[in-house]
Amino acid sequence: MPPYPVPLGFVFRSRAKEEKAAVADKASLTDSKQTRDPQAPKGRPTPKRSEAQSQRRSVANTSMTRKEAAKRQREERRAALDRQRQALASGDERYLPARDKGPVRKLARDFIDSRFNIAEFFLPMAVVILVLSMVRVPALQTIALLLWLVVIVLIVLDSFVTGYRLKKRLAERFPDDNKRGAVAYALMRSLQMRRLRLPKPQVKRGERP
């Protein structure tokens, strides 16, 4: 028996821990001898002073590049708007706005432009009725009120007939295409006077589209 008590941890120390420590030491030595992966973030060599300065200059010039890009975008947007205005006047399908593009919308426009629509005369009739209503003559004011009712009823009936015929024509011409919103698009166009419509009319009155 030893004269002094021996720590149990020293006697029963796990050999597995010693083996793991030895393996870890060998691995660290081996890793230190291996070269770093050149693609690793920390494996790149330290850049030279000239390279670092050139990188800093490129970062400093980034604001100028952004300004030039913004200026180029403004120029491209302005050119696109110019092409769009020209297309609205000439009817060029390539540069029309998205709401006017496509064969369905073109047929809807041509259908409206090829006929007389009561709604397109609403503005001049409204001016006449307004003038009559301002005259301090009871008979003329009564006539103006009746004209308002007649004009509104005629516009509603004409729009209903126009929408029905256009819907039928679109179904015959484009049975498989998306026709959503085409009738409403055409009816809104019929409210405008012919000379003020955009895109400009491409068919004559009475011409079958």
Side-chain angles (χ1 to χ4, degrees):
M1 293 293 292
Y4 300 101
V6 180
L8 296 178
F10 178 79
V11 177
F12 299 101
R13 193 157 128 190
S14 174
R15 296 182 60 189
K17 292 183 180 179
E18 295 179 355
E19 292 176 357
K20 290 181 180 179
V23 171
D25 294 339
K26 290 181 180 179
S28 62
L29 291 175
T30 305
D31 292 342
S32 63
K33 292 179 181 179
Q34 292 179 352
T35 59
R36 291 176 179 262
D37 186 0
Q39 309 228 348
K42 294 185 179 179
R44 294 192 301 266
T46 303
K48 296 180 181 179
R49 180 176 297 179
S50 59
E51 295 178 357
Q53 290 177 353
S54 63
Q55 291 177 359
R56 284 195 293 271
R57 290 195 195 100
S58 63
V59 173
N61 293 332
T62 304
S63 59
M64 297 297 295
T65 304
R66 290 177 181 175
K67 290 180 180 179
E68 293 174 357
K71 182 178 179 181
R72 190 178 300 110
Q73 288 179 357
R74 286 195 299 269
E75 293 175 353
E76 291 176 355
R77 192 181 304 112
R78 190 179 300 111
L81 291 175
D82 292 339
R83 289 194 300 266
Q84 190 177 101
R85 280 192 293 268
Q86 295 175 3
L88 289 173
S90 63
D92 191 350
E93 286 282 336
R94 294 175 299 172
Y95 304 114
L96 286 177
R99 65 182 180 86
D100 298 316
K101 281 186 177 180
V104 174
R105 297 299 174 97
K106 186 178 187 306
L107 178 59
R109 291 195 303 271
D110 293 344
F111 185 85
I112 294 298
D113 297 336
S114 64
R115 61 193 301 274
F116 285 94
N117 303 278
I118 298 177
E120 66 180 293
F121 302 106
F122 172 76
L123 185 59
M125 288 188 295
V127 173
V128 173
I129 294 172
L130 183 61
V131 171
L132 290 176
S133 63
M134 293 176 64
V135 177
R136 295 182 179 276
V137 177
L140 292 179
Q141 292 179 349
T142 303
I143 292 173
L145 181 60
L146 291 176
L147 285 176
W148 272 120
L149 296 176
V150 171
V151 168
I152 292 174
V153 170
L154 289 177
I155 290 176
V156 170
L157 291 176
D158 184 63
S159 299
F160 179 80
V161 174
T162 301
Y164 176 78
R165 291 179 178 176
L166 176 59
K167 189 175 182 179
K168 185 178 180 181
R169 182 74 61 82
L170 291 173
E172 294 174 355
R173 189 77 63 86
F174 307 105
D176 300 327
D177 292 355
N178 183 15
K179 297 176 284 294
R180 183 178 180 182
V183 175
Y185 170 78
L187 294 179
M188 289 298 297
R189 185 176 178 85
S190 67
L191 291 172
Q192 303 170 351
M193 299 180 68
R194 182 181 173 87
R195 67 180 62 183
L196 300 178
R197 292 172 184 171
L198 291 175
K200 293 291 185 181
Q202 302 296 314
V203 296
K204 298 179 180 180
R205 293 190 190 271
E207 182 179 353
R208 182 180 175 85

